[in-house]
Amino acid sequence: MKEERLAVVAMIRRARVSVALTVIAAVIAALGGYRIGLSRDRHSATAVVLTGTVTWSNEETRLIAFETDGVVRKPNDGDTIYSVLTDNWQDVAGTIHSDGTYPTCLAGDGGDPVSTDHHRAELTVIDWDTGGAQWMHVAVRVRCLD
Protein backbone atom coordinates (compact mmCIF):
# COMPACT_ATOMS: atom_id res chain seq x y z
CA MET A 1 0.00 0.00 0.00
CA LYS A 2 2.83 2.35 0.91
CA GLU A 3 4.58 1.58 -2.40
CA GLU A 4 1.42 2.36 -4.34
CA ARG A 5 1.06 5.66 -2.51
CA LEU A 6 4.68 6.59 -3.28
CA ALA A 7 4.14 5.71 -6.95
CA VAL A 8 1.02 7.94 -7.09
CA VAL A 9 2.89 10.84 -5.43
CA ALA A 10 5.79 10.45 -7.87
CA MET A 11 3.36 10.45 -10.82
CA ILE A 12 1.69 13.64 -9.52
CA ARG A 13 5.07 15.34 -9.13
CA ARG A 14 6.05 14.42 -12.71
CA ALA A 15 2.74 15.84 -13.96
CA ARG A 16 3.32 19.08 -12.02
CA VAL A 17 6.84 19.40 -13.41
CA SER A 18 5.65 18.90 -17.01
CA VAL A 19 2.85 21.46 -16.51
CA ALA A 20 5.33 23.93 -14.99
CA LEU A 21 7.77 23.44 -17.87
CA THR A 22 4.96 23.97 -20.39
CA VAL A 23 3.92 27.21 -18.67
CA ILE A 24 7.53 28.45 -18.57
CA ALA A 25 7.98 27.65 -22.29
CA ALA A 26 4.75 29.52 -23.13
CA VAL A 27 5.87 32.59 -21.15
CA ILE A 28 9.26 32.60 -22.87
CA ALA A 29 7.60 32.31 -26.29
CA ALA A 30 5.20 35.15 -25.47
CA LEU A 31 8.03 37.41 -24.29
CA GLY A 32 10.03 36.61 -27.42
CA GLY A 33 7.04 37.50 -29.61
CA TYR A 34 6.56 40.72 -27.67
CA ARG A 35 10.22 41.68 -28.21
CA ILE A 36 9.96 40.92 -31.93
CA GLY A 37 6.80 43.04 -32.10
CA LEU A 38 8.60 45.96 -30.46
CA SER A 39 11.42 45.80 -32.99
CA ARG A 40 9.12 45.93 -36.04
CA ASP A 41 8.34 49.11 -37.94
CA ARG A 42 5.02 50.55 -36.80
CA HIS A 43 4.14 51.95 -40.26
CA SER A 44 3.07 55.23 -38.76
CA ALA A 45 1.82 57.75 -41.26
CA THR A 46 3.33 61.20 -41.48
CA ALA A 47 0.84 63.87 -42.45
CA VAL A 48 1.84 66.50 -45.01
CA VAL A 49 0.10 69.85 -45.54
CA LEU A 50 -0.52 70.70 -49.20
CA THR A 51 -1.93 73.89 -50.69
CA GLY A 52 -3.50 73.88 -54.11
CA THR A 53 -6.66 73.76 -56.19
CA VAL A 54 -9.52 71.29 -56.05
CA THR A 55 -10.46 70.82 -59.71
CA TRP A 56 -13.14 68.15 -59.25
CA SER A 57 -15.10 66.89 -56.28
CA ASN A 58 -17.81 64.30 -55.67
CA GLU A 59 -19.63 64.61 -52.35
CA GLU A 60 -21.23 61.15 -52.64
CA THR A 61 -17.94 59.29 -53.10
CA ARG A 62 -15.91 61.83 -51.08
CA LEU A 63 -13.25 61.81 -53.81
CA ILE A 64 -11.52 64.94 -55.08
CA ALA A 65 -8.98 65.79 -57.78
CA PHE A 66 -6.32 68.09 -56.35
CA GLU A 67 -3.50 70.01 -58.02
CA THR A 68 -0.75 70.90 -55.58
CA ASP A 69 0.81 74.35 -55.97
CA GLY A 70 4.22 74.24 -57.62
CA VAL A 71 3.91 70.67 -58.95
CA VAL A 72 4.10 70.57 -62.73
CA ARG A 73 2.23 67.66 -64.26
CA LYS A 74 3.44 65.92 -67.37
CA PRO A 75 0.93 65.74 -70.25
CA ASN A 76 0.26 62.02 -69.67
CA ASP A 77 -0.10 62.29 -65.89
CA GLY A 78 -3.60 61.75 -64.59
CA ASP A 79 -5.28 63.68 -61.83
CA THR A 80 -4.15 63.07 -58.28
CA ILE A 81 -7.25 61.76 -56.51
CA TYR A 82 -7.69 62.09 -52.77
CA SER A 83 -10.23 60.39 -50.56
CA VAL A 84 -11.63 62.86 -48.02
CA LEU A 85 -11.91 60.96 -44.74
CA THR A 86 -12.58 63.77 -42.31
CA ASP A 87 -15.73 65.08 -40.71
CA ASN A 88 -13.95 68.22 -39.49
CA TRP A 89 -13.12 71.05 -41.85
CA GLN A 90 -12.36 74.75 -41.67
CA ASP A 91 -14.12 77.39 -43.76
CA VAL A 92 -12.62 80.59 -45.20
CA ALA A 93 -13.53 82.58 -42.08
CA GLY A 94 -11.61 80.11 -39.90
CA THR A 95 -14.65 78.42 -38.36
CA ILE A 96 -14.14 74.72 -37.73
CA HIS A 97 -17.12 72.55 -38.63
CA SER A 98 -17.50 69.23 -36.82
CA ASP A 99 -21.06 68.51 -37.85
CA GLY A 100 -20.33 66.00 -40.62
CA THR A 101 -21.15 68.46 -43.42
CA TYR A 102 -19.12 68.44 -46.62
CA PRO A 103 -16.65 71.33 -46.99
CA THR A 104 -18.16 74.24 -48.92
CA CYS A 105 -15.08 74.56 -51.12
CA LEU A 106 -15.62 70.98 -52.28
CA ALA A 107 -19.40 70.98 -52.62
CA GLY A 108 -21.33 71.42 -55.85
CA ASP A 109 -23.93 74.10 -56.53
CA GLY A 110 -27.65 73.62 -55.91
CA GLY A 111 -27.43 70.18 -54.36
CA ASP A 112 -25.33 68.74 -57.18
CA PRO A 113 -22.88 66.26 -55.58
CA VAL A 114 -20.25 66.93 -58.26
CA SER A 115 -18.30 70.16 -58.52
CA THR A 116 -15.87 71.16 -61.26
CA ASP A 117 -15.38 74.66 -59.85
CA HIS A 118 -11.76 75.38 -59.10
CA HIS A 119 -11.49 76.17 -55.38
CA ARG A 120 -8.35 76.82 -53.37
CA ALA A 121 -7.84 74.57 -50.36
CA GLU A 122 -5.27 73.36 -47.90
CA LEU A 123 -5.27 69.62 -47.28
CA THR A 124 -3.52 67.63 -44.61
CA VAL A 125 -2.84 64.32 -46.32
CA ILE A 126 -1.33 60.92 -45.74
CA ASP A 127 -0.45 58.23 -48.26
CA TRP A 128 -1.84 54.81 -47.37
CA ASP A 129 0.04 51.73 -48.53
CA THR A 130 -2.78 49.38 -49.49
CA GLY A 131 -0.36 46.65 -50.50
CA GLY A 132 -0.94 47.20 -54.21
CA ALA A 133 1.02 49.00 -56.87
CA GLN A 134 -0.40 52.41 -56.00
CA TRP A 135 -0.84 54.14 -52.69
CA MET A 136 -4.16 55.68 -51.68
CA HIS A 137 -4.02 59.43 -51.05
CA VAL A 138 -6.13 60.40 -48.03
CA ALA A 139 -7.11 63.92 -46.94
CA VAL A 140 -7.54 63.89 -43.17
CA ARG A 141 -8.16 67.65 -42.86
CA VAL A 142 -9.57 70.28 -45.22
CA ARG A 143 -9.23 74.04 -44.90
CA CYS A 144 -11.06 76.11 -47.49
CA LEU A 145 -9.07 79.09 -48.77
CA ASP A 146 -11.74 80.65 -51.02
Side-chain angles (χ1 to χ4, degrees):
M1 182 82 151
K2 186 175 182 182
E3 291 176 6
E4 290 176 12
R5 186 169 184 237
L6 289 175
V8 169
V9 169
M11 188 170 52
I12 291 172
R13 284 185 184 157
R14 280 192 298 268
R16 285 182 183 167
V17 168
S18 68
V19 168
L21 288 176
T22 302
V23 168
I24 290 170
V27 168
I28 289 171
L31 289 175
Y34 178 73
R35 294 281 299 171
I36 290 170
L38 287 178
S39 67
R40 291 183 59 213
D41 184 12
R42 293 287 181 211
H43 302 289
S44 59
T46 302
V48 177
V49 178
L50 303 176
T51 304
T53 304
V54 177
T55 60
W56 175 86
S57 174
N58 186 327
E59 184 173 355
E60 291 175 350
T61 62
R62 297 186 73 88
L63 295 175
I64 63 171
F66 186 76
E67 293 181 358
T68 305
D69 289 348
V71 175
V72 178
R73 288 185 1 189
K74 296 176 186 168
N76 293 335
D77 286 348
D79 290 329
T80 303
I81 303 296
Y82 288 85
S83 180
V84 179
L85 296 181
T86 182
D87 289 329
N88 300 325
W89 60 278
Q90 188 174 5
D91 64 23
V92 177
T95 304
I96 296 177
H97 300 265
S98 300
D99 53 5
T101 57
Y102 199 61
T104 53
C105 58
L106 305 181
D109 293 328
D112 186 1
V114 176
S115 171
T116 55
D117 298 334
H118 287 60
H119 288 284
R120 304 276 302 146
E122 179 184 272
L123 306 178
T124 302
V125 301
I126 59 172
D127 288 330
W128 177 13
D129 183 358
T130 59
Q134 293 187 342
W135 292 46
M136 181 177 176
H137 305 295
V138 180
V140 295
R141 186 187 65 84
V142 175
R143 183 171 76 110
C144 297
L145 300 176
D146 70 6

